[in-house]
Amino acid sequence: MPVARPSRTSTACRQGLRWIMAASLALGAVLAQAADAEAGDTMAVTRVERWAPAPGTEPSIGPPADAAPGDWLPVELPQAVQRDPTTRAAVNLPRPTVWYRTACPAPVAQETLALYLPRVNGGPLQVWLRTAQGTRQLLDNSPAWPSQWNQPILLRLPGAASQSPGPCRLFLALPPRADGSYALSRLWMGPEPEVQALWSARQRWVVTVPLAASTTLVMLGLFSLAFWWRRRQDTAYLYFGLASLAWWFRNLHYGIELPQNLDALRWFWWATDASMTWVMLLVYLFSLRFATRSFPSVERLLLGFALLVSAVSMPFLPWALDTPLLLHAANTLVAMGVTLLIAWSAWRGSRELRVLAVALCICLVLGVHDLALLQLRISPESLYLMPYAMMLVLGAFLYAVNRRYIGALEHAEGAAAVLSNKLAEQQRALQSNFALLAEVEGERVRLAERQRLTRDMHDGLGAMLVSSLGQIEQGRLSQGEMAQVLRECLEDLRLTIDSMEPIDQDLTTLLATLRQRVGHRLAQGGITLHWRMDDLPPLPWLDAPAALHVLRIVQEALANVVKHSGAANVTLSATRDAGPGVCVQIEDDGRGLQARPEGHQGRGLGHIEERARQLGGRARIFLGDRGGTVVQLWLPLQGPPPAAEGFRPSRWPTA
């Protein structure tokens, strides 16, 4: 019958397990050697004597006498007696007490001695001192023994230990629990300052640093949750934040007093042990967010595994198995499989996932080391390393966040550069279009101005010249009348030119220009011009065509004063009223308006009213209080848009 050969996959898995076990045990050995080197050999007590009564013997109160039945056998410390894996690690009735004894060191004069034990596992610890004067108990931590699982013990020895003239011995009592397992590290005895320094160093690495790391991690986890709250699509931050909180809860037993009540203690250990499974689940969900492909089935299996082990490990269930050991062993097996999956995905995945895979592999080694320490397979003086494992995950998380942040910055900078180039192209195109539009607009303005000038020259100066030319050809005009016609044509031409001057929408400047033009003509006619101007606001609508209308209205009114009024004085004023608008007024002291038949009005007065309507205003001509003629032109402050054809409807503002 042919023998089945193992597959390459199974061979690789077994080889990987051997490497992980070898690495974890080597790490434990290195840490144990480091602890020995740190403590030094001068104060370490490695050879002690052990006395164990026969099974069924009642626990003794106080150390046995030298003549007690049984032998004191020399043993090497540290010593660990493994538990029976078929029994439950619970707090039940104690078995017979196991005793260890050693001689006190010879002290230097005036020196206080101290005792230091890195770890005592399995039950409460009692310390007794026997001298020539008698036997006395120095320590009994039975009430708080559940909290000593990871706490180093420091005990100051009384003066009798150093002043006794006879033999001085220390006795350590270990009442094992129901599963029969216990562990005792080496003893250190010596001067109190030196021993206390060793205890402080151990306390720092097994309690202070893990608690500080957990606190730092939970703060970063809260930050990660706050970041996820604003960006719900980035679930990696959610899983990391939840993993940080679960890890903080997992490490509570490193720094708090454990409950003294038996049921509360069982539930507390169940919660902290089960939380390790949830930490593992959340860390893997966080890591898989960086994979190039998704693994929904793996994630569902991990969730089901976490729910299953949390349910079957509850302390009220009647299992006869050591559930914490089985739970951590199951976690280790699942962690191996998922870590291999992540490592395989990281082979062709992102750099962040490769860093996470390396961190998870190291965490796996540290977990195997702690499992071996929990099973008493390595020196009990080793440190539990899983509290430091999440620091590796934290470092990988910071690296991944840094990579994402830098990648986002680079992407944003690249997008900004692309947008800047596109914006520059659009700006160049807009500038080109603006230049073209400005050229077109300039051409349109020039064309409109030419059309306006052509219309004004045709309707004003041209019509006047044609009419005068016809009268000259018929011999109807004398030389003086011809000069007057030419003078009027010249004034009309000057008005057209004046309307093109830049006046910045200032009506006062426009009227001042007209004053210079007509002032000499009024003076030749014996008429004195009086000038009264208020501080007028700018008129936004006062462009060149509107300015020409205003000038012609005022010119027409002044021309009527010269021709028909026989006045000696004329007043040109401009004031602001509550219309809101501006009122331009020409008032003379002549003979006043002559009565005309109903419906008959002079051509000049009609032109004044028509031009006022084109400006959106209104003109009034009436007899003044002193007998002269008054011409009023009301103009709005904010003129309506120019009318395409015809006259604008207007209304003289009421007072």
Side-chain angles (χ1 to χ4, degrees), residues 404-415:
R404 283 194 170 188
Y405 178 71
I406 293 178
L409 285 181
E410 292 176 350
H411 181 269
E413 290 173 355

Side-chain angles (χ1 to χ4, degrees), residues 115-125 127 139 141 144-155 172 174 183-188 198-211 251-258 260 268-269 373 380-384 387:
L115 172 67
Y116 159 60
L117 292 89
R119 177 177 282 117
V120 178
N121 275 9
L125 173 68
V127 180
L139 174 68
N141 65 349
W145 76 265
S147 300
Q148 81 174 27
W149 67 278
N150 193 46
Q151 296 277 355
I153 297 175
L154 178 66
L155 177 63
L172 281 73
L174 294 176
L184 179 65
S185 65
R186 290 175 293 174
L187 313 178
W188 276 266
L198 297 177
W199 176 85
S200 299
R202 178 89 179 187
Q203 184 78 6
R204 179 173 62 251
W205 288 109
V206 301
V207 176
T208 306
V209 173
L211 289 180
N251 288 339
L252 280 180
H253 57 284
Y254 281 94
I256 66 172
E257 289 290 335
L258 272 63
Q260 300 300 318
F268 176 83
W269 278 115
L373 179 59
E381 296 176 5
S382 297
L383 305 179
Y384 283 105

